[in-house]
């Protein structure tokens, strides 16, 4: 009886102690989160502050056509981000076979555009598949690949043979849960995206990318809760995001071991380590920097020539990490490299202004912070730039 009483008493004490520890940690997390420096809050806002291109479809099959036709199809796209989307141009796999025409090269947030693809079938016979590469200042998805295909029969074939019954145009294959999930993710519909990525994990033999985006969904949900001051809920979502990150990190490392030129794995690992550093008590910027620098070496090499969008993105991310590490001269170097390739890079202009302020070059700080307001007057970074300029002008 005495032993049972002692065990029960000890058990109660342990539970009370655990509860006290949990409450203490939660309160500590709230205090630290509320006293984080301003640049951490801006980092969180950056996740949704950028131009973002979205195509409702990225492939079209014209079916069976004759060699005297010039079939065309219009692909509609939209800027679902919150900054100006700049279309830099298009490249095609066969210049004499495909003629791409863009309706506009500049889209404000929420605006739509059209990409008209005309196929020159006059000198082609048989099955064809052509790719069109559209480049923009979308830092996450700088190059969209559009595919058109079909079957071209000889011009007189329909005269020699009986006229075939009209065939319906072949529609694109149904999208996979992963592709649907990434579409929802791009639109910020994270709960719908989570449902699709969970389906994808069940169906795919290699669900690494699905796990990655699943983690990113929970991270973005956590950022939203953080901005709404729901600190404990944000922390819970960050923990879920980290759980999925732990699952994919070994796979990306394995990919690199098997293929040292796997640019995607370097990019994903860099971003995972960077975003994990948002959470208090976690600082993995060194790991993020290591993978980003490796990725930049690859992206600027001959194997990935012409990958301008990725190079801009990497210079921006590396510059930001150096800024967080208080190495402002290195940060300036990379931000300026990004801006030389794309003067519309709002994030790079903002942090370049902050970096110059940190080293005492006030006029340059004013120049780049003012440019942020000109480029994206409605963005959160523009609001922060205005606040910073007021402080600088009081000095």
């Amino acid at each position: 009886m005495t032993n049972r009483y002692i065990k029960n008493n000890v058990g109660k004490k342990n539970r009370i102690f655990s509860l006290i520890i949990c409450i203490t940690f939660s309160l500590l997390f709230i205090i630290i989160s509320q006293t984080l420096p301003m640049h951490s809050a801006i980092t969180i806002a950056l996740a949704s502050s950028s131009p973002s291109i979205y195509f409702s479809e990225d492939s079209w099959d014209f079916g069976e056509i004759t060699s005297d036709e010039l079939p065309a199809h219009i692909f509609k796209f939209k800027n679902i981000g919150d900054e100006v989307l700049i279309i830099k141009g298009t490249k095609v796999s066969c210049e004499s076979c495909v003629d791409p025409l863009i309706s506009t090269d500049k889209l404000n947030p929420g605006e739509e555009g059209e990409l008209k693809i005309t196929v020159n079938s006059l000198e082609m016979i048989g099955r064809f598949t052509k790719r069109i590469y559209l480049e923009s200042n979308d830092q996450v998805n700088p190059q969209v690949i559009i595919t058109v295909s079909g079957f071209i029969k000889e011009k007189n074939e329909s005269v020699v043979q009986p006229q075939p019954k009209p065939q319906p145009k072949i529609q694109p294959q149904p999208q996979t849960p992963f592709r649907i999930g990434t579409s929802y993710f791009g639109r910020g519909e994270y709960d719908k995206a989570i449902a699709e990525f969970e389906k994808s994990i069940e169906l795919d033999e290699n669900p690494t990318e699905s796990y990655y985006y699943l983690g990113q969904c929970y991270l973005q949900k956590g950022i939203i809760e953080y901005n709404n001051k729901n600190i404990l809920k944000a922390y819970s979502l960050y923990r879920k995001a980290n759980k999925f990150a732990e699952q994919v990190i070994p796979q990306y490392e394995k990919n690199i071991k098997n293929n040292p030129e796997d640019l995607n794995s370097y990019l994903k690992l860099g971003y995972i380590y960077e975003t994990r550093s948002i959470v208090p008590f976690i600082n993995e910027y060194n790991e993020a920097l290591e993978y980003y620098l490796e990725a930049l070496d690859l992206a600027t090499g001959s194997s990935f020539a012409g990958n301008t969008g990725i190079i801009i993105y990497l210079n921006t991310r590396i510059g930001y990490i150096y800024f967080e590490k208080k190495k402002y001269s290195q940060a300036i170097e990379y931000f300026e490299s990004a801006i030389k390739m794309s003067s519309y890079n709002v994030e790079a202009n903002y942090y370049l202004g902050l970096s110059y302020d940190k080293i005492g070059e006030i006029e340059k700080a004013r120049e780049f912070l003012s440019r942020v307001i000109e480029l994206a007057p409605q963005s959160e970074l523009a609001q922060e730039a205005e606040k910073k300029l007021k402080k600088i002008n009081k000095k």
Side-chain angles (χ1 to χ4, degrees):
M1 183 72 176
T2 302
N3 289 338
R4 185 181 299 172
Y5 172 78
I6 292 171
K7 287 181 180 179
N8 289 339
N9 196 32
V10 170
K12 287 179 181 178
K13 287 182 178 179
N14 287 339
R15 285 194 293 274
I16 292 170
F17 180 74
S18 298
L19 182 60
I20 291 170
I21 291 294
C22 182
I23 293 171
T24 302
F25 181 80
S26 298
L27 289 172
L28 183 61
F29 181 80
I30 292 171
I31 292 167
I32 290 173
S33 298
Q34 290 175 339
T35 57
L36 283 173
M38 177 57 69
H39 60 72
S40 294
I42 293 170
T43 303
I44 291 170
L46 285 174
S48 59
S49 181
S50 62
S52 180
I53 192 167
Y54 170 71
F55 276 82
S56 57
E57 58 181 357
D58 59 10
S59 63
W60 183 260
D61 193 315
F62 289 100
E64 191 176 79
I65 55 180
T66 58
S67 59
D68 60 347
E69 292 183 61
L70 293 173
H73 182 73
I74 294 175
F75 294 86
K76 294 185 178 182
F77 61 94
K78 184 177 182 180
N79 179 8
I80 60 173
D82 56 7
E83 291 181 11
V84 177
L85 177 71
I86 306 297
I87 305 301
K88 298 179 179 179
T90 58
K91 297 178 182 178
V92 294
S93 58
C94 175
E95 293 185 4
S96 63
C97 309
V98 178
D99 180 26
L101 180 64
I102 292 282
S103 63
T104 179
D105 61 356
K106 184 176 179 181
L107 286 85
N108 291 316
E111 288 185 342
E112 296 184 349
E114 294 182 348
L115 170 62
K116 182 179 179 180
I117 303 298
T118 303
V119 176
N120 178 12
S121 58
L122 299 179
E123 297 180 0
M124 293 194 294
I125 294 293
R127 169 63 57 182
F128 70 90
T129 300
K130 304 298 175 185
R131 292 178 178 82
I132 301 91
Y133 303 88
L134 184 145
E135 296 182 351
S136 73
N137 66 330
D138 182 336
Q139 296 178 5
V140 177
N141 189 23
Q143 186 181 77
V144 178
I145 301 176
I146 303 297
T147 306
V148 293
S149 57
F151 183 86
I152 302 170
K153 59 184 181 181
E154 293 185 16
K155 185 177 178 179
N156 61 354
E157 185 177 339
S158 59
V159 177
V160 175
Q161 297 181 359
Q163 185 69 29
K165 293 181 180 180
Q167 297 292 322
K169 288 182 177 179
I170 301 172
Q171 299 295 327
Q173 292 296 315
Q175 291 189 315
T176 63
F178 177 78
R179 292 181 70 100
I180 296 170
T182 53
S183 295
Y184 281 133
F185 181 83
R187 296 199 295 267
E189 299 180 46
Y190 301 118
D191 288 327
K192 291 181 179 179
I194 286 170
E196 295 300 327
F197 289 130
E198 286 175 344
K199 291 180 191 174
S200 180
I201 287 168
E202 293 178 4
L203 297 172
D204 292 349
E205 292 182 7
N206 181 12
T208 303
E209 294 294 301
S210 296
Y211 275 117
Y212 169 82
Y213 278 103
L214 196 55
Q216 290 303 310
C217 286
Y218 283 112
L219 173 68
Q220 298 305 322
K221 283 167 65 70
I223 288 169
I224 292 168
E225 295 299 337
Y226 180 97
N227 288 337
N228 291 333
K229 309 300 182 186
N230 298 324
I231 305 301
L232 289 178
K233 193 169 183 181
Y235 175 66
S236 174
L237 290 163
Y238 288 156
R239 288 187 64 187
K240 278 189 177 181
N242 279 345
K243 180 186 76 172
F244 289 111
E246 293 294 342
Q247 288 181 270
V248 297
I249 285 173
Q251 184 58 51
Y252 286 132
E253 289 175 341
K254 182 180 177 182
N255 291 348
I256 290 171
K257 186 176 180 180
N258 293 335
N259 178 15
E261 293 194 353
D262 184 0
L263 181 60
N264 177 65
S265 291
Y266 285 109
L267 289 168
K268 294 293 174 60
L269 284 169
Y271 191 67
I272 287 170
Y273 283 118
E274 180 188 353
T275 53
R276 276 158 63 103
S277 299
I278 292 172
V279 182
F281 309 116
I282 296 178
N283 185 337
E284 296 178 338
Y285 285 127
N286 285 336
E287 289 83 353
L289 188 60
E290 177 187 348
Y291 286 110
Y292 280 149
L293 287 170
E294 291 280 358
L296 185 58
D297 283 343
L298 280 175
T300 52
S302 58
S303 300
F304 297 92
N307 239 324
T308 308
I310 291 176
I311 295 171
I312 294 168
Y313 169 79
L314 286 167
N315 275 292
T316 306
R317 300 274 37 90
I318 293 168
Y320 172 75
I321 292 173
Y322 275 127
F323 179 87
E324 286 294 306
K325 290 165 68 65
K326 298 181 170 45
K327 295 184 177 181
Y328 303 116
S329 296
Q330 290 96 321
I332 288 169
E333 176 188 345
Y334 284 95
F335 286 135
E336 286 187 336
S337 294
I339 288 172
K340 281 179 183 176
M341 288 184 279
S342 174
S343 60
Y344 298 99
N345 190 327
V346 177
E347 181 184 353
N349 277 283
Y350 176 80
Y351 280 104
L352 191 52
L354 293 189
S355 298
Y356 274 121
D357 179 55
K358 291 290 186 182
I359 64 172
E361 295 196 30
I362 303 303
E363 288 306 313
K364 285 191 174 182
R366 285 196 184 101
E367 175 190 345
F368 289 105
L369 290 171
S370 298
R371 192 176 295 172
V372 172
I373 299 168
E374 292 172 10
L375 290 172
Q378 304 301 319
S379 69
E380 291 182 49
L381 287 183
Q383 295 172 23
E384 296 300 329
E386 287 179 356
K387 292 177 186 176
K388 189 63 183 175
L389 281 170
K390 287 179 182 177
K391 289 182 181 179
I392 290 174
N393 292 332
K394 288 179 181 179
K395 292 180 179 180

